[in-house]
Amino acid sequence: MITLLDENFSQLNQFLTEKSFSKIFILVDENTHEYCLPVLLGNLETDISFEILEIEAGEEMKNIQTANQLWEILTEMQADRKALIINLGGGVITDMGGFVASTYKRGIQFINIPTTLLSMCDASIGGKTGIDLMHYKNMVGTFSFPKQIYAYTRFLDTLPAKELKSGFAEMLKHGLIADKKHWEALIKLQHLDPTGVEPLIPQSMEIKQEVVNADFHEKNVRKTLNFGHTIGHAIESLCLQSENPILHGEAVALGMICESHLSYLEGLISKEDADLIIENIQRYFSFIDLGDFKDEDIFNLLLNDKKNTDAKINFSLLSGIGSCIYDHECSTENIQKSINYYKKLS
Ligand code: NAD
Ligand code: ZN
């Protein structure tokens, strides 16, 4: 289902020729409009008429108001059930476009063309669509698969370095939870740039796809993808409400440091392995000061996590470099210790 596009986008053109769509809607944000849409349109060979739907860039747009605007535009433009939405963008666009498509007229078809590293290796794969509600991320959404995912890695050439790094955090996670060799290949990279990262993208995509195929509804093994995300999400939420929001991948990197140390505290991995993982993550991601956050606030968010049941805090933790367990209940004392450990890393 994931296809790496050639220079002429011939696989996409063939897909459009084989299907009989009534109309195509291409969803972009202002950046993918500027940097990616010209490349797509320059290669698109189809007789089907198309419209461009543009939203402002940023997580703040991933809400019900934007979804409502898009549903209204689709209605005004008489999109029928044979229309196709092409989501051309990062995770905000693929989450939003997938959500709008899967709910409009009880579901129309959509394809994802991810343009950030994070969306190529993670967000565009796996069939989760959604929007944020108040300051809670991804609270409303659907499980719905895109018809196709087309990745074109040259789109990364215009991606800001900070965004590239954010996506790299998810690639590191894929190595840590499922594939030691992939992790080792990733940490060989001295500098993060599109040329260095590009050859490693297919393996990261494959890991995500395989985990999702094994457990689409996140009843078991898909939970391993949440490694680094329990503490990471809590800190991400606190930062989003503060004056210093951080990118998702930066929060995940912080979360992976805490949760690698927690894996050691819970007796699941050796101190040597935990330290090695942490040293390597620190090579790419700078320290985030948690000084302004109260431990009580962090714990409240951990307890609110969607993954928890019965007021217990469950974690996906490493049982080695390249293997991961899930539904592991940790003692409050060890969770606190892992956060304190991070605070002392400055
Ligand atoms: P994003 O979509 O906001 O993109 C980041 C920034 O890069 C934006 O400003 C965007 O306009 C810009 N951009 C995108 N492509 C570009 C390009 N080629 N050149 C220049 N600029 C470009 O963010 P993201 O990091 O891709 O995704 C984060 C979102 O993904 C979050 O909302 C998160 O919840 C979601 N997500 C979803 C899943 C899932 O399974 N559905 C998984 C992980 C993350
Ligand atoms: Zn993530």
Side-chain angles (χ1 to χ4, degrees):
M1 204 179 59
I2 307 171
T3 306
L4 292 174
L5 282 173
D6 61 22
E7 292 289 319
N8 306 316
F9 287 26
S10 53
Q11 302 98 322
L12 170 64
N13 287 322
Q14 194 180 342
F15 167 79
L16 294 175
T17 311
E18 284 166 3
K19 309 274 170 184
S20 50
F21 295 112
S22 54
K23 194 161 190 163
I24 297 171
F25 294 88
I26 305 174
L27 180 64
V28 290
D29 68 22
E30 61 209 80
N31 296 318
T32 61
H33 193 161
E34 180 172 352
Y35 299 114
C36 309
L37 188 62
V39 181
L40 172 63
L41 295 185
N43 285 302
L44 205 59
E45 287 170 11
T46 179
D47 297 334
I48 311 167
S49 67
F50 62 85
E51 301 282 349
I52 311 298
L53 308 177
E54 184 184 328
I55 63 173
E56 278 174 43
E59 182 73 26
E60 316 77 72
M61 298 307 293
K62 213 178 93 174
N63 56 34
I64 193 71
Q65 287 77 17
T66 308
N68 193 50
Q69 278 168 16
L70 292 169
W71 287 320
E72 285 182 5
I73 295 171
L74 289 172
T75 309
E76 278 159 19
M77 292 185 170
Q78 297 174 342
D80 62 22
R81 293 189 68 185
K82 288 178 90 185
L84 173 75
I85 298 188
I86 298 182
N87 298 317
L88 180 67
V92 168
I93 289 293
T94 55
D95 274 11
M96 168 61 72
F99 177 67
V100 166
S102 66
T103 46
Y104 180 76
K105 296 201 171 178
R106 297 200 180 84
I108 60 172
Q109 295 191 13
F110 65 100
I111 62 175
N112 288 337
I113 307 185
T115 62
T116 62
L117 185 59
L118 191 137
S119 58
M120 281 177 202
C121 294
D122 192 358
S124 71
I125 308 166
K128 282 187 184 177
T129 80
I131 54 172
D132 303 334
L133 185 70
M134 300 184 293
H135 57 267
Y136 297 104
K137 276 179 62 82
N138 306 324
M139 281 294 275
V140 178
T142 61
F143 275 115
S144 187
F145 270 116
K147 216 59 202 149
Q148 294 286 336
I149 302 163
Y150 292 111
Y152 183 62
T153 50
R154 289 274 61 80
F155 282 141
L156 299 178
D157 294 345
T158 56
L159 191 69
K162 206 171 143 73
E163 299 289 350
L164 192 78
K165 206 196 269 192
S166 180
F168 191 69
E170 301 285 1
M171 295 179 82
L172 289 174
K173 180 194 75 180
H174 290 152
L176 285 172
I177 63 167
D179 183 348
K180 188 173 185 181
K181 283 208 177 94
H182 185 50
W183 157 261
E184 286 170 349
L186 290 164
I187 59 171
K188 278 203 186 107
L189 292 176
Q190 297 298 325
H191 305 287
L192 292 187
D193 58 35
T195 317
V197 166
E198 195 181 322
L200 301 165
I201 293 175
Q203 180 56 10
S204 226
M205 290 172 145
E206 199 172 314
I207 293 171
K208 167 100 194 222
Q209 185 70 69
E210 272 182 14
V211 172
V212 169
N213 287 350
D215 172 30
F216 180 49
H217 285 291
E218 202 169 321
K219 299 262 185 272
N220 44 67
V221 71
R222 188 168 183 170
K223 294 182 185 179
T224 59
L225 293 168
N226 294 325
F227 171 63
H229 283 62
T230 308
I231 295 178
H233 265 157
I235 302 300
E236 187 179 10
S237 297
L238 287 172
C239 289
L240 281 176
Q241 295 163 52
S242 76
E243 307 238 302
N244 300 310
I246 55 175
L247 294 180
H248 178 69
E250 294 173 310
V252 171
L254 179 160
M256 289 194 294
I257 291 178
C258 295
E259 294 177 23
S260 296
H261 189 68
L262 187 56
S263 304
Y264 153 65
L265 292 175
E266 292 282 318
L268 297 165
I269 56 171
S270 67
K271 175 117 181 32
E272 291 72 38
D273 275 355
D275 289 349
L276 182 78
I277 294 165
I278 292 165
E279 270 166 38
N280 276 294
I281 298 175
Q282 282 183 295
R283 281 176 43 224
Y284 302 104
F285 293 88
S286 40
F287 178 75
I288 293 166
D289 190 359
L290 302 183
D292 290 342
F293 304 136
K294 291 193 200 113
D295 289 337
E296 191 192 336
D297 292 341
I298 299 176
F299 271 85
N300 278 339
L301 281 159
L302 290 177
L303 280 164
N304 271 333
D305 195 288
K306 289 199 282 300
K307 298 179 284 296
N308 292 318
T309 48
D310 307 333
K312 290 175 187 159
I313 305 179
N314 287 328
F315 282 84
S316 297
L317 293 180
L318 298 179
S319 47
I321 299 182
S323 62
C324 186
I325 58 160
Y326 50 86
D327 285 346
H328 184 89
E329 193 186 335
C330 294
S331 68
T332 311
E333 189 191 350
N334 278 348
I335 300 170
Q336 184 66 66
K337 274 189 190 165
S338 75
I339 295 167
N340 291 346
Y341 168 85
Y342 183 85
K343 287 180 181 170
K344 290 193 193 122
L345 284 177
S346 62

